[in-house]
Amino acid sequence: LPEAVVEAADLSSQQDSSQVWGFSSQQQPAIFGRPGALVRQPWRIPHEDTYSPDTSLDATDVGGLVVRAVSLRGAAHRYLGEPRQDSFALARHSDDEWLLAAVCDGVGSASRSHRGAMLAATTAVGAAARHLEQSSGDAAEALLAATRESAAAIEQEAERLEESPRNYATTLTLAFVRTEPVEAGFPYVVVAVGDSPSMQLGHAGPVQELRPSGAADLHATATASLPTDLSTISAIEGVLSPGAALILATDGFSVPVLNTEVGTQIADQWRQPPGVPDFLVQAQFAARSFDDDRTVVAVWAGSDDEGMS
Amino acid sequence: MQEQVLPFYLLCDESGSMTGLVEQMNNELLPDLHHSISTDPVVADKTRFSIVGFADDARCILPLSDLSDLESIPGLVARGVTDFGAAFRELRTRIDDDVTSLKSQGHLVYRPAVFFLSDGQPTDPDWRDGLEFVTDEGWSYRPNMIAFGLGDADASVIGEVGTFKAFIVSPNVNPARALTEFASALTKSIVKSGQSSTEEGMTLQVPDSIPGFTAVTADVL
């Protein structure tokens, strides 16, 4: 055994971790304020009929975009041994012309919302990709159609298992981003049911929430959810400037980031795309009482002068 | 660093007729509640608890506190009559001060929940003026009130006080058992609310039925 330890140490010293794609450095999650009791508690795995892991992590470069995505259980679900009710899914065009991302936050009081969130995210990006591949139609139309198909898929699943569709209630935020710039930047479209917000981070300043351009009543959107309440679907269309990031998240991430000093640190850390393990660690910041599941998909628009293309 | 805070208030009758129940509360039920909340890390990290007692007058027995910071919590003292109006006026003052203070520290404060318990009729004739003070829709910190009536309490009065939910003790239920069920409902509500996380943040969770009690519905009003 001592030999094995020596060998492992030698191995690590011979490797420059920054040469491995996605890896640049190692650090511990930041603790904001007084730690609270929950941060010290061990995780418990759920006793579910269908296993779902604590954390889902992904990353890619597609066209001029750099993508980091993570969904992780909050401290409460980790302690209580309950499944993650958040989910995300990604898809890209077969010729890398666009990227799709979905973020879902299962409604806490709905008993199967963890399944609803998972199903909604994967169905939404799959359906949107199909619509976009099959027709050169409007991106917003494709996202709206995919949102409705996602709701229908949940209803079918509920029917199959003889459950109430309301038990699967989840938010859905679905985004389309072009992978190559058109004049000023990278055009994007986001449609959302419920309150998982879209945000933007620029070269300077804080993470800022993007407001729907339509006259959507924000209070009304807060209660909307798939599959039964599609009464309010908000839409945002914009252009991502080179170097800026479009951030889709659930409120477990957005509430502390938009309302507390956590946001200042995240803005500093994510001005440039972090390495994949760093991104995971940074999203795991500990802040007392902010114990909800967290999901964040961040899409940086590359620019030549920053070497991100 | 800012935190999310869900404040709970126990607004408890300390009139002379409560003597036996006050002892049970001090010796058994409040220590149990303290233990349950302070040892549940999910709940301890975001709930705060305060006790206001009322009889001839109203007084704050436990300022709004993080129960995991306390070794023990002070008890109630049975004394005097049942001045509802004084109770509600003190409650409004406490909530105004507490929420203002928490917000000035940058905390995200959720609407307070008040568990009101009385075993009698209000002895002050103008108690409804006090009640309007805490149910005032123009008051942005207006709490959710959950009212419980024991002993001689009147169902319609309890129904008026319980703007969120109201419960009156069922016939032939032993007062000690009813009080135990009340304390259990209070503890469970704090735990379930602290564990809830929805699109709107935390939401107050109170069961629709509580053993030993009958829910007072709007029809009774």
Side-chain angles (χ1 to χ4, degrees), chain A residues 42-61:
Chain A
W43 302 359
R44 290 180 190 144
I45 56 173
H47 46 84
E48 275 286 314
D49 51 353
T50 312
Y51 174 74
S52 62
D54 176 271
T55 301
S56 173
L57 179 69
D58 212 340
T60 190
D61 292 348

Side-chain angles (χ1 to χ4, degrees), chain A residues 28-118:
Chain A
Q28 291 292 306
I31 298 177
F32 289 89
R34 49 188 195 147
L38 204 47
V39 68
R40 295 187 291 271
Q41 301 298 324
W43 302 359
R44 290 180 190 144
I45 56 173
H47 46 84
E48 275 286 314
D49 51 353
T50 312
Y51 174 74
S52 62
D54 176 271
T55 301
S56 173
L57 179 69
D58 212 340
T60 190
D61 292 348
V62 53
L65 304 177
V66 177
V67 181
R68 300 285 182 264
V70 68
S71 180
L72 50 92
R73 283 193 300 171
H77 284 158
R78 283 172 171 172
Y79 171 73
L80 296 167
E82 291 177 359
R84 170 163 48 91
Q85 293 174 334
D86 278 7
S87 200
F88 75 83
L90 304 171
R92 67 178 169 83
H93 179 241
S94 51
D95 292 329
D96 284 357
E97 284 178 15
W98 40 253
L99 169 82
L100 294 168
V103 163
C104 293
D105 183 354
V107 171
S109 55
S111 61
R112 295 184 66 79
S113 65
H114 56 295
R115 309 297 304 171
M118 210 180 294

